[in-house]
Amino acid sequence: MWHRWISLLSPKGFLRGTKFWARVLGVLAILLMGYGLFAGLFLVLADYQQGDAFRIIYVHVPCAMLSMSLYFAMALMSFSTYVWRLKIADMLAANCAILGAVFAALALCTGAVWGKPMWGTWWVWDGRLTSELVLFFLYLGVIALRSAIADAFKASRACALLSILGIVNLPIIHFSVNWWHTLHQKSTLLGLHTPTMADSMLWPLLASMAGFCCFAAWWVIQNTRADILSQQQAIDKRGCA
């Protein structure tokens, strides 16, 4: 059992071991996102307080969740890169940074669209929004740092350090609504309480979140596979030359 997981740490093993699961994740992403978004946007009844404006949660919540989850995954891969110098971990971290930046931007944009009818403004400098913006800039910093350093080894080490240090922002994002006075509502899913949403709203949201997670895993795996194949082709060309 363990040798199968260990084999994923090598480029060839990763290509073999993820081929089937990438397809499974892709199918699950389509099914779960399809159900969650269709039910949430068209079938669920309007909220008694927020009306139809609440429907943006079926996009905003998964994006916000993944912006944090992908950063945690990136930091974990970066730690593996820094300590054990795993090439696959560095590739995974690089792809997590790209997708994480996209989800952080989407979380900020959809949050602004939601905030305008609820708060009367597109943006407020409260704890949750500001710390999420910091997360977005951390992603951009990691991406820019990797591009700015020509030496691949030095670039991976520098990005790993920045990723690991930046993880302190994650608990700030999560607990900011409890630590400080904020317009942002408190969590309805996570915490020491049962979800405060009706089941008719909750299940499509959970499906959407699961679908977005499957899509993120599929995207990172597929792009890492593409990076491995691209590097192998470059090596083969140099060998032929």
Side-chain angles (χ1 to χ4, degrees):
M1 181 66 178
W2 285 107
H3 74 278
R4 294 182 180 179
W5 291 104
I6 294 175
S7 67
L8 295 175
L9 301 179
S10 67
K12 291 183 178 179
F14 186 88
L15 288 175
R16 288 195 304 267
T18 58
K19 185 176 182 180
F20 169 76
W21 290 108
R23 295 175 180 173
V24 172
L25 288 168
V27 172
L28 287 175
I30 292 172
L31 295 176
L32 290 168
M33 288 177 68
Y35 162 71
L37 292 177
F38 180 78
L41 297 177
F42 299 106
L43 301 182
V44 174
L45 296 176
D47 183 73
Y48 76 100
Q49 286 183 320
Q50 301 184 26
D52 286 322
F54 96 99
R55 297 184 190 279
I56 203 168
I57 67 170
Y58 296 101
V59 177
H60 173 71
V61 172
C63 288
M65 176 194 68
L66 277 169
S67 70
M68 298 174 63
S69 300
L70 283 168
Y71 194 94
F72 181 80
M74 180 181 71
L76 186 63
M77 293 300 104
S78 296
F79 179 80
S80 301
T81 300
Y82 196 85
V83 176
W84 296 294
R85 301 184 181 182
L86 298 177
K87 191 173 184 179
I88 289 296
D90 185 49
M91 291 181 176
L92 289 169
N95 285 308
C96 283
I98 296 171
L99 189 60
V102 172
F103 277 122
L106 287 173
L108 291 168
C109 291
T110 54
V113 172
W114 192 8
K116 179 59 176 177
M118 296 300 104
W119 305 335
T121 181
W122 297 99
W123 180 265
V124 290
W125 291 98
D126 78 343
R128 173 64 61 85
L129 297 180
T130 304
S131 53
E132 181 71 19
L133 182 62
V134 170
L135 182 69
F136 176 62
F137 286 138
L138 281 170
Y139 275 126
L140 294 184
V142 171
I143 295 170
L145 188 61
R146 189 177 292 273
S147 300
I149 302 176
D151 186 280
F153 176 73
K154 292 181 179 179
S156 67
R157 301 281 282 183
C159 290
L161 280 175
L162 178 57
S163 301
I164 295 169
L165 292 174
I167 203 171
V168 298
N169 189 47
L170 296 184
I172 296 176
I173 297 174
H174 180 71
F175 293 109
S176 58
V177 292
N178 298 319
W179 290 345
W180 301 299
H181 175 72
T182 174
L183 288 175
H184 199 287
Q185 69 184 58
K186 290 180 170 55
S187 174
T188 58
L189 295 177
L190 302 177
L192 300 177
H193 56 76
T194 58
T196 57
M197 298 178 63
D199 288 346
S200 61
M201 298 178 178
L202 177 63
W203 289 111
L205 178 58
L206 293 177
S208 183
M209 292 169 66
F212 271 77
C213 287
C214 290
F215 167 77
W218 171 84
W219 192 93
V220 170
I221 289 173
Q222 286 292 84
N223 279 271
T224 302
R225 289 171 58 86
D227 291 342
I228 294 171
L229 292 173
S230 178
Q231 289 191 6
Q232 289 182 349
Q233 290 175 357
I235 293 172
D236 293 341
K237 287 182 180 179
R238 287 198 297 267
C240 293

